[in-house]
Amino acid sequence: MRKKTVRLAIVLSLLCIAGGAIFVYRMYNKPHRSAATETVVVLTAGQLAAAYELDEAGANKKYLGNAVQVSGTVSELSFNQQNKQVLILTGTGMSAVQCSLLEDKAGVKKGDSVIIKGFCSGFLTDVIMDRCIVAKQ
């Protein structure tokens, strides 16, 4: 009886370890979401910034973690720690939309009208978007 219990415990432990290993492998190799292929919510930078200014909790329910397509005018350009371009799109008088691009240099200049696709990450003083691509310049 004791040998059966030990064997059963060993088999169950090995099954749990194998199941855990398969789960970790599949999650590690899961493809990343791309704004280029996802269904996006389409709006202007001003509309997105205004939505967050009026009702941050409501805007988070609509946009947070979702793919968003934003059109607007580039008011500032900079680079982040990974040397990727960061665009600031003119929003409202109080806030703007900050877009961190996937590519190093997108060929965008200050004053350009652009359409950006990316994922909304929330609101600080500006609306933050990451993993962005330039859809149209």
PDB file of all heavy atoms in Angstrom, residues 73-104:
ATOM      1  N   THR A  73      -1.165  66.251 -35.052  1.00  0.00           N
ATOM      2  CA  THR A  73       0.017  66.983 -35.493  1.00  0.00           C
ATOM      3  C   THR A  73       1.139  66.774 -34.483  1.00  0.00           C
ATOM      4  O   THR A  73       0.922  66.881 -33.277  1.00  0.00           O
ATOM      5  CB  THR A  73      -0.303  68.483 -35.605  1.00  0.00           C
ATOM      6  OG1 THR A  73      -1.409  68.639 -36.496  1.00  0.00           O
ATOM      7  CG2 THR A  73       0.887  69.257 -36.131  1.00  0.00           C
ATOM      8  N   VAL A  74       2.334  66.480 -34.987  1.00  0.00           N
ATOM      9  CA  VAL A  74       3.495  66.262 -34.121  1.00  0.00           C
ATOM     10  C   VAL A  74       3.949  67.605 -33.557  1.00  0.00           C
ATOM     11  O   VAL A  74       4.294  68.513 -34.301  1.00  0.00           O
ATOM     12  CB  VAL A  74       4.644  65.589 -34.908  1.00  0.00           C
ATOM     13  CG1 VAL A  74       5.865  65.417 -34.039  1.00  0.00           C
ATOM     14  CG2 VAL A  74       4.188  64.269 -35.487  1.00  0.00           C
ATOM     15  N   SER A  75       3.941  67.712 -32.219  1.00  0.00           N
ATOM     16  CA  SER A  75       4.388  68.958 -31.587  1.00  0.00           C
ATOM     17  C   SER A  75       5.799  68.835 -31.025  1.00  0.00           C
ATOM     18  O   SER A  75       6.487  69.833 -30.874  1.00  0.00           O
ATOM     19  CB  SER A  75       3.415  69.378 -30.479  1.00  0.00           C
ATOM     20  OG  SER A  75       3.363  68.409 -29.466  1.00  0.00           O
ATOM     21  N   GLU A  76       6.238  67.604 -30.711  1.00  0.00           N
ATOM     22  CA  GLU A  76       7.594  67.378 -30.190  1.00  0.00           C
ATOM     23  C   GLU A  76       8.103  66.024 -30.644  1.00  0.00           C
ATOM     24  O   GLU A  76       7.323  65.099 -30.867  1.00  0.00           O
ATOM     25  CB  GLU A  76       7.597  67.376 -28.658  1.00  0.00           C
ATOM     26  CG  GLU A  76       7.477  68.713 -28.008  1.00  0.00           C
ATOM     27  CD  GLU A  76       7.562  68.586 -26.486  1.00  0.00           C
ATOM     28  OE1 GLU A  76       8.501  67.930 -25.991  1.00  0.00           O
ATOM     29  OE2 GLU A  76       6.674  69.128 -25.818  1.00  0.00           O
ATOM     30  N   LEU A  77       9.421  65.910 -30.744  1.00  0.00           N
ATOM     31  CA  LEU A  77      10.101  64.654 -31.058  1.00  0.00           C
ATOM     32  C   LEU A  77      11.191  64.428 -30.025  1.00  0.00           C
ATOM     33  O   LEU A  77      11.889  65.359 -29.638  1.00  0.00           O
ATOM     34  CB  LEU A  77      10.759  64.713 -32.436  1.00  0.00           C
ATOM     35  CG  LEU A  77       9.870  64.831 -33.657  1.00  0.00           C
ATOM     36  CD1 LEU A  77      10.712  65.133 -34.880  1.00  0.00           C
ATOM     37  CD2 LEU A  77       9.115  63.547 -33.876  1.00  0.00           C
ATOM     38  N   SER A  78      11.356  63.178 -29.605  1.00  0.00           N
ATOM     39  CA  SER A  78      12.471  62.837 -28.724  1.00  0.00           C
ATOM     40  C   SER A  78      12.773  61.351 -28.906  1.00  0.00           C
ATOM     41  O   SER A  78      12.154  60.672 -29.727  1.00  0.00           O
ATOM     42  CB  SER A  78      12.127  63.159 -27.267  1.00  0.00           C
ATOM     43  OG  SER A  78      11.028  62.389 -26.842  1.00  0.00           O
ATOM     44  N   PHE A  79      13.731  60.852 -28.141  1.00  0.00           N
ATOM     45  CA  PHE A  79      14.101  59.441 -28.186  1.00  0.00           C
ATOM     46  C   PHE A  79      14.083  58.886 -26.771  1.00  0.00           C
ATOM     47  O   PHE A  79      14.462  59.575 -25.821  1.00  0.00           O
ATOM     48  CB  PHE A  79      15.497  59.258 -28.814  1.00  0.00           C
ATOM     49  CG  PHE A  79      15.517  59.574 -30.277  1.00  0.00           C
ATOM     50  CD1 PHE A  79      15.798  60.854 -30.726  1.00  0.00           C
ATOM     51  CD2 PHE A  79      15.233  58.602 -31.217  1.00  0.00           C
ATOM     52  CE1 PHE A  79      15.807  61.161 -32.071  1.00  0.00           C
ATOM     53  CE2 PHE A  79      15.233  58.895 -32.576  1.00  0.00           C
ATOM     54  CZ  PHE A  79      15.532  60.172 -32.999  1.00  0.00           C
ATOM     55  N   ASN A  80      13.648  57.627 -26.620  1.00  0.00           N
ATOM     56  CA  ASN A  80      13.640  57.007 -25.303  1.00  0.00           C
ATOM     57  C   ASN A  80      14.951  56.271 -25.043  1.00  0.00           C
ATOM     58  O   ASN A  80      15.898  56.373 -25.830  1.00  0.00           O
ATOM     59  CB  ASN A  80      12.413  56.092 -25.144  1.00  0.00           C
ATOM     60  CG  ASN A  80      12.396  54.936 -26.130  1.00  0.00           C
ATOM     61  OD1 ASN A  80      13.384  54.623 -26.790  1.00  0.00           O
ATOM     62  ND2 ASN A  80      11.247  54.292 -26.233  1.00  0.00           N
ATOM     63  N   GLN A  81      15.015  55.498 -23.949  1.00  0.00           N
ATOM     64  CA  GLN A  81      16.249  54.807 -23.557  1.00  0.00           C
ATOM     65  C   GLN A  81      16.691  53.759 -24.569  1.00  0.00           C
ATOM     66  O   GLN A  81      17.876  53.442 -24.668  1.00  0.00           O
ATOM     67  CB  GLN A  81      16.065  54.113 -22.186  1.00  0.00           C
ATOM     68  CG  GLN A  81      15.768  55.035 -21.061  1.00  0.00           C
ATOM     69  CD  GLN A  81      14.270  55.290 -20.883  1.00  0.00           C
ATOM     70  OE1 GLN A  81      13.462  55.098 -21.784  1.00  0.00           O
ATOM     71  NE2 GLN A  81      13.897  55.749 -19.711  1.00  0.00           N
ATOM     72  N   GLN A  82      15.755  53.201 -25.319  1.00  0.00           N
ATOM     73  CA  GLN A  82      16.095  52.199 -26.332  1.00  0.00           C
ATOM     74  C   GLN A  82      16.399  52.837 -27.683  1.00  0.00           C
ATOM     75  O   GLN A  82      16.481  52.153 -28.694  1.00  0.00           O
ATOM     76  CB  GLN A  82      14.939  51.198 -26.506  1.00  0.00           C
ATOM     77  CG  GLN A  82      14.729  50.278 -25.335  1.00  0.00           C
ATOM     78  CD  GLN A  82      13.898  50.919 -24.236  1.00  0.00           C
ATOM     79  OE1 GLN A  82      13.050  51.760 -24.504  1.00  0.00           O
ATOM     80  NE2 GLN A  82      14.153  50.536 -23.006  1.00  0.00           N
ATOM     81  N   ASN A  83      16.533  54.151 -27.699  1.00  0.00           N
ATOM     82  CA  ASN A  83      16.809  54.932 -28.900  1.00  0.00           C
ATOM     83  C   ASN A  83      15.676  54.815 -29.930  1.00  0.00           C
ATOM     84  O   ASN A  83      15.908  54.864 -31.130  1.00  0.00           O
ATOM     85  CB  ASN A  83      18.158  54.558 -29.522  1.00  0.00           C
ATOM     86  CG  ASN A  83      18.697  55.693 -30.372  1.00  0.00           C
ATOM     87  OD1 ASN A  83      18.447  56.862 -30.093  1.00  0.00           O
ATOM     88  ND2 ASN A  83      19.432  55.355 -31.416  1.00  0.00           N
ATOM     89  N   LYS A  84      14.462  54.621 -29.437  1.00  0.00           N
ATOM     90  CA  LYS A  84      13.271  54.608 -30.283  1.00  0.00           C
ATOM     91  C   LYS A  84      12.643  55.996 -30.230  1.00  0.00           C
ATOM     92  O   LYS A  84      12.666  56.670 -29.217  1.00  0.00           O
ATOM     93  CB  LYS A  84      12.252  53.580 -29.790  1.00  0.00           C
ATOM     94  CG  LYS A  84      12.801  52.179 -29.641  1.00  0.00           C
ATOM     95  CD  LYS A  84      12.984  51.518 -30.953  1.00  0.00           C
ATOM     96  CE  LYS A  84      13.440  50.068 -30.705  1.00  0.00           C
ATOM     97  NZ  LYS A  84      13.811  49.403 -31.891  1.00  0.00           N
ATOM     98  N   GLN A  85      12.054  56.394 -31.331  1.00  0.00           N
ATOM     99  CA  GLN A  85      11.480  57.730 -31.426  1.00  0.00           C
ATOM    100  C   GLN A  85      10.181  57.823 -30.618  1.00  0.00           C
ATOM    101  O   GLN A  85       9.365  56.908 -30.607  1.00  0.00           O
ATOM    102  CB  GLN A  85      11.213  58.072 -32.884  1.00  0.00           C
ATOM    103  CG  GLN A  85      11.084  59.540 -33.153  1.00  0.00           C
ATOM    104  CD  GLN A  85      11.179  59.850 -34.636  1.00  0.00           C
ATOM    105  OE1 GLN A  85      10.835  59.035 -35.483  1.00  0.00           O
ATOM    106  NE2 GLN A  85      11.643  61.026 -34.958  1.00  0.00           N
ATOM    107  N   VAL A  86      10.000  58.960 -29.940  1.00  0.00           N
ATOM    108  CA  VAL A  86       8.793  59.255 -29.178  1.00  0.00           C
ATOM    109  C   VAL A  86       8.191  60.525 -29.762  1.00  0.00           C
ATOM    110  O   VAL A  86       8.857  61.552 -29.854  1.00  0.00           O
ATOM    111  CB  VAL A  86       9.100  59.441 -27.674  1.00  0.00           C
ATOM    112  CG1 VAL A  86       7.835  59.813 -26.914  1.00  0.00           C
ATOM    113  CG2 VAL A  86       9.735  58.191 -27.092  1.00  0.00           C
ATOM    114  N   LEU A  87       6.925  60.439 -30.176  1.00  0.00           N
ATOM    115  CA  LEU A  87       6.228  61.581 -30.756  1.00  0.00           C
ATOM    116  C   LEU A  87       5.216  62.107 -29.750  1.00  0.00           C
ATOM    117  O   LEU A  87       4.540  61.330 -29.087  1.00  0.00           O
ATOM    118  CB  LEU A  87       5.468  61.176 -32.018  1.00  0.00           C
ATOM    119  CG  LEU A  87       6.220  60.440 -33.114  1.00  0.00           C
ATOM    120  CD1 LEU A  87       5.268  60.077 -34.229  1.00  0.00           C
ATOM    121  CD2 LEU A  87       7.349  61.288 -33.637  1.00  0.00           C
ATOM    122  N   ILE A  88       5.112  63.412 -29.646  1.00  0.00           N
ATOM    123  CA  ILE A  88       4.060  64.043 -28.857  1.00  0.00           C
ATOM    124  C   ILE A  88       3.090  64.669 -29.857  1.00  0.00           C
ATOM    125  O   ILE A  88       3.475  65.526 -30.642  1.00  0.00           O
ATOM    126  CB  ILE A  88       4.613  65.126 -27.907  1.00  0.00           C
ATOM    127  CG1 ILE A  88       5.739  64.578 -27.023  1.00  0.00           C
ATOM    128  CG2 ILE A  88       3.479  65.728 -27.082  1.00  0.00           C
ATOM    129  CD1 ILE A  88       5.319  63.567 -26.006  1.00  0.00           C
ATOM    130  N   LEU A  89       1.844  64.204 -29.824  1.00  0.00           N
ATOM    131  CA  LEU A  89       0.812  64.745 -30.700  1.00  0.00           C
ATOM    132  C   LEU A  89       0.004  65.788 -29.934  1.00  0.00           C
ATOM    133  O   LEU A  89      -0.337  65.587 -28.772  1.00  0.00           O
ATOM    134  CB  LEU A  89      -0.125  63.641 -31.192  1.00  0.00           C
ATOM    135  CG  LEU A  89       0.510  62.481 -31.956  1.00  0.00           C
ATOM    136  CD1 LEU A  89      -0.559  61.490 -32.393  1.00  0.00           C
ATOM    137  CD2 LEU A  89       1.305  62.964 -33.146  1.00  0.00           C
ATOM    138  N   THR A  90      -0.303  66.893 -30.599  1.00  0.00           N
ATOM    139  CA  THR A  90      -1.088  67.958 -29.986  1.00  0.00           C
ATOM    140  C   THR A  90      -2.459  67.417 -29.623  1.00  0.00           C
ATOM    141  O   THR A  90      -3.149  66.850 -30.454  1.00  0.00           O
ATOM    142  CB  THR A  90      -1.223  69.139 -30.960  1.00  0.00           C
ATOM    143  OG1 THR A  90       0.089  69.564 -31.340  1.00  0.00           O
ATOM    144  CG2 THR A  90      -1.962  70.290 -30.318  1.00  0.00           C
ATOM    145  N   GLY A  91      -2.830  67.607 -28.351  1.00  0.00           N
ATOM    146  CA  GLY A  91      -4.124  67.132 -27.879  1.00  0.00           C
ATOM    147  C   GLY A  91      -5.022  68.299 -27.538  1.00  0.00           C
ATOM    148  O   GLY A  91      -5.447  69.052 -28.407  1.00  0.00           O
ATOM    149  N   THR A  92      -5.262  68.492 -26.252  1.00  0.00           N
ATOM    150  CA  THR A  92      -6.042  69.626 -25.776  1.00  0.00           C
ATOM    151  C   THR A  92      -5.059  70.637 -25.192  1.00  0.00           C
ATOM    152  O   THR A  92      -3.858  70.422 -25.230  1.00  0.00           O
ATOM    153  CB  THR A  92      -7.035  69.188 -24.689  1.00  0.00           C
ATOM    154  OG1 THR A  92      -6.300  68.704 -23.568  1.00  0.00           O
ATOM    155  CG2 THR A  92      -7.981  68.113 -25.194  1.00  0.00           C
ATOM    156  N   GLY A  93      -5.557  71.709 -24.626  1.00  0.00           N
ATOM    157  CA  GLY A  93      -4.681  72.690 -23.996  1.00  0.00           C
ATOM    158  C   GLY A  93      -3.978  72.149 -22.762  1.00  0.00           C
ATOM    159  O   GLY A  93      -2.909  72.610 -22.391  1.00  0.00           O
ATOM    160  N   MET A  94      -4.577  71.140 -22.116  1.00  0.00           N
ATOM    161  CA  MET A  94      -4.033  70.594 -20.877  1.00  0.00           C
ATOM    162  C   MET A  94      -3.135  69.376 -21.095  1.00  0.00           C
ATOM    163  O   MET A  94      -2.206  69.163 -20.330  1.00  0.00           O
ATOM    164  CB  MET A  94      -5.177  70.200 -19.937  1.00  0.00           C
ATOM    165  CG  MET A  94      -6.026  71.359 -19.479  1.00  0.00           C
ATOM    166  SD  MET A  94      -5.120  72.507 -18.435  1.00  0.00           S
ATOM    167  CE  MET A  94      -4.875  71.495 -17.010  1.00  0.00           C
ATOM    168  N   SER A  95      -3.431  68.547 -22.068  1.00  0.00           N
ATOM    169  CA  SER A  95      -2.656  67.324 -22.244  1.00  0.00           C
ATOM    170  C   SER A  95      -2.498  66.989 -23.720  1.00  0.00           C
ATOM    171  O   SER A  95      -3.183  67.544 -24.573  1.00  0.00           O
ATOM    172  CB  SER A  95      -3.322  66.165 -21.504  1.00  0.00           C
ATOM    173  OG  SER A  95      -4.617  65.952 -21.982  1.00  0.00           O
ATOM    174  N   ALA A  96      -1.587  66.067 -23.983  1.00  0.00           N
ATOM    175  CA  ALA A  96      -1.281  65.640 -25.347  1.00  0.00           C
ATOM    176  C   ALA A  96      -1.282  64.115 -25.385  1.00  0.00           C
ATOM    177  O   ALA A  96      -1.636  63.461 -24.411  1.00  0.00           O
ATOM    178  CB  ALA A  96       0.077  66.200 -25.767  1.00  0.00           C
ATOM    179  N   VAL A  97      -0.869  63.552 -26.496  1.00  0.00           N
ATOM    180  CA  VAL A  97      -0.756  62.101 -26.642  1.00  0.00           C
ATOM    181  C   VAL A  97       0.706  61.777 -26.939  1.00  0.00           C
ATOM    182  O   VAL A  97       1.270  62.271 -27.913  1.00  0.00           O
ATOM    183  CB  VAL A  97      -1.678  61.575 -27.766  1.00  0.00           C
ATOM    184  CG1 VAL A  97      -1.511  60.077 -27.938  1.00  0.00           C
ATOM    185  CG2 VAL A  97      -3.126  61.921 -27.473  1.00  0.00           C
ATOM    186  N   GLN A  98       1.316  60.954 -26.077  1.00  0.00           N
ATOM    187  CA  GLN A  98       2.726  60.571 -26.227  1.00  0.00           C
ATOM    188  C   GLN A  98       2.778  59.172 -26.824  1.00  0.00           C
ATOM    189  O   GLN A  98       2.262  58.221 -26.257  1.00  0.00           O
ATOM    190  CB  GLN A  98       3.402  60.581 -24.861  1.00  0.00           C
ATOM    191  CG  GLN A  98       4.839  60.129 -24.894  1.00  0.00           C
ATOM    192  CD  GLN A  98       5.447  60.141 -23.511  1.00  0.00           C
ATOM    193  OE1 GLN A  98       5.213  61.059 -22.732  1.00  0.00           O
ATOM    194  NE2 GLN A  98       6.229  59.120 -23.206  1.00  0.00           N
ATOM    195  N   CYS A  99       3.436  59.053 -27.990  1.00  0.00           N
ATOM    196  CA  CYS A  99       3.490  57.793 -28.729  1.00  0.00           C
ATOM    197  C   CYS A  99       4.927  57.300 -28.828  1.00  0.00           C
ATOM    198  O   CYS A  99       5.762  57.947 -29.450  1.00  0.00           O
ATOM    199  CB  CYS A  99       2.925  57.977 -30.136  1.00  0.00           C
ATOM    200  SG  CYS A  99       1.277  58.683 -30.180  1.00  0.00           S
ATOM    201  N   SER A 100       5.219  56.133 -28.239  1.00  0.00           N
ATOM    202  CA  SER A 100       6.541  55.517 -28.346  1.00  0.00           C
ATOM    203  C   SER A 100       6.524  54.557 -29.527  1.00  0.00           C
ATOM    204  O   SER A 100       5.781  53.573 -29.527  1.00  0.00           O
ATOM    205  CB  SER A 100       6.882  54.758 -27.064  1.00  0.00           C
ATOM    206  OG  SER A 100       6.932  55.635 -25.975  1.00  0.00           O
ATOM    207  N   LEU A 101       7.342  54.854 -30.535  1.00  0.00           N
ATOM    208  CA  LEU A 101       7.343  54.066 -31.771  1.00  0.00           C
ATOM    209  C   LEU A 101       8.182  52.806 -31.631  1.00  0.00           C
ATOM    210  O   LEU A 101       9.147  52.760 -30.870  1.00  0.00           O
ATOM    211  CB  LEU A 101       7.871  54.909 -32.920  1.00  0.00           C
ATOM    212  CG  LEU A 101       7.084  56.173 -33.267  1.00  0.00           C
ATOM    213  CD1 LEU A 101       7.746  56.899 -34.438  1.00  0.00           C
ATOM    214  CD2 LEU A 101       5.649  55.860 -33.583  1.00  0.00           C
ATOM    215  N   LEU A 102       7.827  51.784 -32.410  1.00  0.00           N
ATOM    216  CA  LEU A 102       8.603  50.550 -32.450  1.00  0.00           C
ATOM    217  C   LEU A 102       9.904  50.733 -33.226  1.00  0.00           C
ATOM    218  O   LEU A 102      10.928  50.165 -32.883  1.00  0.00           O
ATOM    219  CB  LEU A 102       7.789  49.428 -33.104  1.00  0.00           C
ATOM    220  CG  LEU A 102       6.711  48.782 -32.245  1.00  0.00           C
ATOM    221  CD1 LEU A 102       5.900  47.790 -33.076  1.00  0.00           C
ATOM    222  CD2 LEU A 102       7.311  48.098 -31.052  1.00  0.00           C
ATOM    223  N   GLU A 103       9.851  51.528 -34.287  1.00  0.00           N
ATOM    224  CA  GLU A 103      11.027  51.704 -35.134  1.00  0.00           C
ATOM    225  C   GLU A 103      11.943  52.789 -34.560  1.00  0.00           C
ATOM    226  O   GLU A 103      11.510  53.655 -33.817  1.00  0.00           O
ATOM    227  CB  GLU A 103      10.619  52.036 -36.566  1.00  0.00           C
ATOM    228  CG  GLU A 103       9.718  53.224 -36.679  1.00  0.00           C
ATOM    229  CD  GLU A 103       8.492  52.964 -37.533  1.00  0.00           C
ATOM    230  OE1 GLU A 103       8.070  51.821 -37.673  1.00  0.00           O
ATOM    231  OE2 GLU A 103       7.960  53.948 -38.050  1.00  0.00           O
ATOM    232  N   ASP A 104      13.221  52.712 -34.919  1.00  0.00           N
ATOM    233  CA  ASP A 104      14.203  53.675 -34.412  1.00  0.00           C
ATOM    234  C   ASP A 104      13.901  55.085 -34.899  1.00  0.00           C
ATOM    235  O   ASP A 104      13.832  56.013 -34.124  1.00  0.00           O
ATOM    236  CB  ASP A 104      15.625  53.277 -34.837  1.00  0.00           C
ATOM    237  CG  ASP A 104      16.064  51.995 -34.157  1.00  0.00           C
ATOM    238  OD1 ASP A 104      15.527  51.682 -33.077  1.00  0.00           O
ATOM    239  OD2 ASP A 104      16.924  51.306 -34.702  1.00  0.00           O
TER     240      ASP A 104
END
